[in-house]
Amino acid sequence: MTANTQEALTSAALSFQLMTRAEPPELVIATIKSLLAVKEACDEILIIDNNNKETSLYKPLAAFCQSLNADLNVHFYHIDRVEGFKAGALNLALGLMCPDCSHIVVVDSDYQALPHARASITQAIAQYPEYTLLQFPQFYRNEGQLDAHSELNHYFNHHLYRPFNRNRALSTGTYAVIRRSDLLSIGGWSGASITEDAQMGVLMHRQGFRSQFVPEVIATGLLPNTLDDLICQRRRWIYGNMQVLTDYLSVPYHSPVQYVSQSKSMSERLAYIRAHLSQLSAWVNFTGFFILLHICSLLVMVDMLLINNAEVSMLAPLYLVYAGYAFFILRRLWAYCRDQSPLNKQIDDDHQPRFGRKVRAWLMHLNFWVIGALSWLPVLWGREKPFVCTPKQNYIQSRRSLFLKNIAALPKLLLVLNIITAIVVAPFSPLYSPVLFICAAVVCILKLSAAKVAMDNFSDARADIPSMSKVLRQTLKVAHEKKTTITTSYATSLFKDKKPSTRKNQY
C-alpha cells in the first residue's frame, strides 16, 4: 500500500447518502446494514425520505435508525414537499451532511455494499486525488434475469469502459463519489433534468473539474420487478439525458459559460465533447426519422392499393427506411459482440462472454428500439416529464397477471409496421418486392425473438431460474450475508471510540 493510499484510508471521511421515496423499509434497512459493515468511525450515513406520506413505509425505517447508537452517525430525515426531483433531496442532504466529510457517496436504496466497498473508494480517491467525480459501476444481483443484466451492464462493460469515456465519465447516480467542496462550488445539484447525475457531471466538466470511471464492482442492486417498470426506467434515462443534451447543445460556442474549460486545448475540448455526446446518447437511437417515414409510406401505399393505383416507384422510401434499420441493428450487434464483460469476470472467475449470451443481450436491447427512437422527441418542444421512481419489490402474485402486464408493456409499433409491410409487398400484392418482403420478415422475426427473451427474463421475478454460474451466486450470497447480525450493541462495539454526534435526527 502506497503512502497516499494509507493517508486516504485514514483521513478521507465519507458521507453515504440515500434518497428514498416510498421504498420498502426492509430493503432500505438491508442497504443501511451493508453500509454499517464497511463504514469507518469518521463516516456518516444520511437517509432522506422525501415526498412520501405513507407512514407504514417510513416509520419502520425511522425506528430502525433511531434504535442505533448515536456513535454510528446514522441520520434519518423525513421531509415532504421537496422540489426539484431527486436533485432537490440531494441538495437537502448536501446542507445536512457533516462538514467534516470530504466526499459524498450517492447510494440507491437497493444497492448493498460489498465488504471491500469502502477500501475501494478510498483507494480510488488516493489514485485520483485531484478528481472531483469517481464513478463506480452498477451491477445486479437478481436471479433469472441474466439477459436483462447483460443488456444494462453493457453500458459499463463496454460503453463507459472505453478509454475516451472512462477518463471523462459522467455520473450514473449510485456509487458516485463526489468531492464535497467541488460540488458546492458549482452550486450543488441541478434540477434542470430528471437525470441530475448526468447533469452534474456535465456542469463539473464545464468548470474544468475532472472525473474517472473506476471499473470495480463494489455494490449490487436490484432490477425493476416487471418489464413495464424497466421500460419506464429506460424512458426516464433517455428523456433526462436528452434534456441534458439539448441544454448542452444550446450553449453558444463563444459563450463565457462553455461546457469545457477554456484552459483546455482544442483537442482536449473535442475529446470532452465526444465523451459527453457518446454518454448522453448511449440509450438513444436516431431511427425515429425512419420510423416516421415508414408510417407515412405505408399510409400512402395502402391508400393507393385501395384505389387500384399502385406504382412500384412508391416503394423507394422503404429502401431508405430499411437501410436505416439495418445500420442500427448491425451497429448494435457489433457493439454487443465486442463486449468482453470485464466487470462480470471480477465477480465470477468462470465467466465466459459466450456469443450466444451476447446475442441474447442484443435481442433484449432491441425491445427498447422504439423507446430509444421516439421517447426523447418531446424534449425538442420543451415538454416536461415527471420523475417516476422505479419500484424494486412490488411483486405481482399471479403469474398470469404478470404475463399480461409484460405483454402490454412490450413496444409493438415496429412489429405492426413490419407485418403490414410484409403484407403490402408480399408475392400476391401488385407491389411485390422480394427484398422488402425479406427485410420486413427479418425485422418481425427479430422483434418476436426479442420479445421472447424479455418474457424469459420477466416471466416471474421470484422464480429460481439459474441465470448466474454457481460461483457467482455463491460469491454474492457470501458477500451480502454477514456472519454477525448488526445489532445496536455489536455496531457500537465496532465504533466504540467514535465521538457521539451532536446532531439530532428529524422524523
Side-chain angles (χ1 to χ4, degrees), residues 109 142 171 204 225 280 292 305 308 313 359 367 387 389 418 458 479 491 499 503:
S109 60
N142 308 64
S171 176
M204 284 186 167
N225 193 56
L280 292 173
L292 296 176
L305 286 172
N308 296 318
S313 61
V359 170
N367 286 295
F387 184 94
C389 292
N418 283 278
F458 290 91
K499 295 181 180 180
R503 179 172 42 178

Side-chain angles (χ1 to χ4, degrees), residues 111-216:
Y111 266 81
Q112 296 179 15
L114 293 171
H116 60 277
R118 193 190 189 281
S120 295
I121 290 171
T122 51
Q123 286 169 6
I125 292 172
Q127 185 177 357
Y128 305 101
E130 303 301 323
Y131 282 50
T132 296
L133 167 67
L134 302 173
Q135 179 62 60
F136 287 84
Q138 297 176 12
F139 206 79
Y140 303 93
R141 61 180 181 271
N142 308 64
E143 291 192 30
Q145 297 172 289
L146 183 57
D147 303 313
H149 288 192
S150 300
E151 193 272 339
L152 283 162
N153 286 337
H154 175 74
Y155 180 82
F156 298 96
N157 272 321
H158 175 74
H159 195 77
L160 197 56
Y161 203 86
R162 292 179 291 181
F164 74 89
N165 278 332
R166 191 191 311 180
N167 299 334
R168 303 168 186 87
L170 299 179
S171 176
T172 57
T174 192
Y175 281 89
V177 181
I178 307 159
R179 189 187 300 276
R180 175 179 177 270
S181 58
D182 292 345
L183 183 57
L184 286 171
S185 73
I186 64 170
W189 298 86
S190 170
S193 166
I194 57 176
T195 50
E196 73 296 325
D197 40 21
Q199 181 81 45
M200 181 272 297
V202 168
L203 292 175
M204 284 186 167
H205 287 162
R206 183 176 70 182
Q207 297 299 322
F209 296 128
R210 301 184 68 183
S211 64
Q212 179 74 27
F213 170 56
V214 184
E216 183 177 352

Side-chain angles (χ1 to χ4, degrees), residues 17-53:
Q17 299 185 356
L18 286 77
M19 306 301 107
T20 71
R21 181 183 177 187
E23 302 283 2
E26 63 275 8
L27 178 68
V28 184
I29 289 171
T31 299
I32 295 172
K33 287 182 177 180
S34 74
L35 295 174
L36 284 170
V38 301
K39 74 184 288 293
E40 294 291 340
C42 57
D43 302 333
E44 70 171 0
I45 301 174
L46 188 61
I47 307 104
I48 295 184
D49 182 84
N50 64 97
N51 299 335
N52 169 30
K53 296 183 179 180

Side-chain angles (χ1 to χ4, degrees), residues 259-434:
Y259 274 88
V260 179
S261 175
Q262 294 288 346
S263 64
K264 297 184 183 299
S265 67
M266 181 57 68
S267 62
E268 288 177 313
R269 294 187 195 182
L270 292 175
Y272 269 93
I273 291 172
R274 178 193 179 191
H276 290 166
L277 297 182
S278 171
Q279 293 171 67
L280 292 173
S281 63
W283 303 110
V284 176
N285 69 77
F286 297 99
T287 60
F289 165 77
F290 298 105
I291 293 174
L292 296 176
L293 180 59
H294 198 165
I295 294 171
C296 294
S297 299
L298 285 181
L299 290 174
V300 171
M301 284 187 288
V302 170
D303 182 62
M304 292 295 99
L305 286 172
L306 291 176
I307 62 176
N308 296 318
N309 189 27
E311 296 181 4
V312 177
S313 61
M314 292 187 300
L315 297 176
L318 286 183
Y319 289 100
L320 177 61
V321 166
Y322 282 105
Y325 290 169
F327 178 79
F328 162 74
I329 290 170
L330 295 175
R331 185 172 180 272
R332 292 299 166 91
L333 177 60
W334 176 78
Y336 275 87
C337 286
R338 294 185 64 206
D339 188 343
Q340 296 303 309
S341 305
L343 300 177
N344 299 68
K345 294 176 182 177
Q346 293 179 21
I347 303 296
D348 184 359
D349 293 335
D350 295 332
H351 178 80
Q352 295 295 330
R354 298 182 178 87
F355 179 74
R357 183 58 63 191
K358 294 178 181 181
V359 170
R360 286 183 64 87
W362 167 68
L363 287 172
M364 185 70 200
H365 181 72
L366 291 185
N367 286 295
F368 306 103
W369 181 349
V370 174
I371 305 300
L374 300 177
S375 63
W376 59 271
L377 292 176
V379 175
L380 299 180
W381 52 83
R383 182 181 170 187
E384 292 295 329
K385 189 176 183 67
F387 184 94
V388 179
C389 292
T390 306
K392 299 293 175 64
Q393 285 193 333
N394 185 22
Y395 294 127
I396 297 176
Q397 298 301 322
S398 166
R399 185 183 290 268
R400 182 174 181 273
S401 63
L402 177 59
F403 175 81
L404 293 175
K405 186 176 178 67
N406 287 336
I407 287 290
L410 281 169
K412 307 171 189 68
L413 177 61
L414 274 169
L415 180 61
V416 171
L417 289 178
N418 283 278
I419 290 174
I420 296 173
T421 303
I423 295 172
V424 169
V425 300
F428 54 78
S429 169
L431 293 174
Y432 174 56
S433 168

